[in-house]
């Protein structure tokens, strides 16, 4: 690797330049350097973390697509608590109380024959400035 100049003497400066260019050629022939691989691992790890974090938020703020029924505790003025849909559909608007009542009565069709609405509530589940989600609507039904 030692280079001779025109006068036949060894020149250390030319030798250092030649060694540096040889190192660059060897590094360029490798697929990835250790520093680049470490950076890619950090980016991939961050992407996985953010995906999981977004998935948890979506699962928590799911919209209610069907009515769910739960039995009320004994001694209450109502027998069933019906959680109705909180998103609009064809023929259903959750903002209209009559539509919510109709859906609650349909959900209890097989369980309660003389059903009547005794109340209802809107539960705001939004955390101001952090999440935005539809409110939960419940209808209280007496048999």
């Amino acid at each position: 690797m030692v280079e001779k100049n025109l006068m036949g003497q060894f020149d250390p400066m030319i030798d250092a330049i030649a060694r540096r260019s040889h190192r660059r050629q060897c590094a360029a022939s490798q697929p990835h350097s250790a520093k680049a691989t470490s950076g890619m691992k950090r980016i991939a790890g961050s992407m996985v973390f953010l995906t999981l974090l977004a998935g948890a938020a979506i699962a928590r703020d799911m919209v209610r697509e069907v009515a769910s029924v739960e039995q009320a505790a004994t001694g209450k003025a109502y027998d069933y608590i019906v959680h109705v849909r909180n998103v609009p559909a064809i023929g259903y608007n959750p903002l209209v109380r009559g539509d919510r009542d109709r859906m609650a009565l349909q959900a209890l069709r097989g369980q309660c024959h003389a059903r009547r609405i005794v109340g209802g509530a809107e539960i705001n589940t939004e955390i101001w400035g952090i999440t935005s989600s539809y409110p939960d609507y419940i209808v209280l039904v007496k048999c």
Side-chain angles (χ1 to χ4, degrees), residues 56-58 60-61 124-134:
I58 291 169
R60 186 193 63 211
D61 292 334
N124 191 2
T125 58
E126 180 180 21
I127 301 171
W128 190 81
I130 298 174
T131 64
S132 62
S133 61
Y134 296 113

Side-chain angles (χ1 to χ4, degrees), residues 4-9:
K4 288 187 179 180
N5 62 10
L6 294 176
M7 297 185 350
Q9 297 175 342

Side-chain angles (χ1 to χ4, degrees), residues 41-63:
K41 285 181 183 177
R42 286 182 183 164
I43 291 171
S46 298
M47 297 287 281
V48 168
F49 175 73
L50 291 174
T51 302
L52 291 174
L53 187 63
I58 291 169
R60 186 193 63 211
D61 292 334
M62 284 179 49
V63 294

Side-chain angles (χ1 to χ4, degrees), residues 14-101:
I14 294 176
D15 187 41
I17 293 171
R19 272 189 267 148
R20 191 177 309 139
S21 97
H22 178 68
R23 274 190 234 132
R24 284 184 187 155
Q25 288 173 354
C26 290
S29 66
Q30 295 176 351
H32 299 290
S33 67
K35 199 181 260 188
T37 304
S38 174
M40 287 189 287
K41 285 181 183 177
R42 286 182 183 164
I43 291 171
S46 298
M47 297 287 281
V48 168
F49 175 73
L50 291 174
T51 302
L52 291 174
L53 187 63
I58 291 169
R60 186 193 63 211
D61 292 334
M62 284 179 49
V63 294
R64 187 176 310 282
E65 290 292 329
V66 294
S68 64
V69 178
E70 63 181 81
Q71 196 164 8
T74 57
K76 298 285 186 180
Y78 47 89
D79 296 322
Y80 292 100
I81 302 169
V82 182
H83 297 266
V84 295
R85 288 176 59 127
N86 57 357
V87 291
I90 296 174
Y92 174 74
N93 184 355
L95 301 176
V96 177
R97 183 178 179 138
D99 288 352
R100 293 193 307 258
D101 293 347

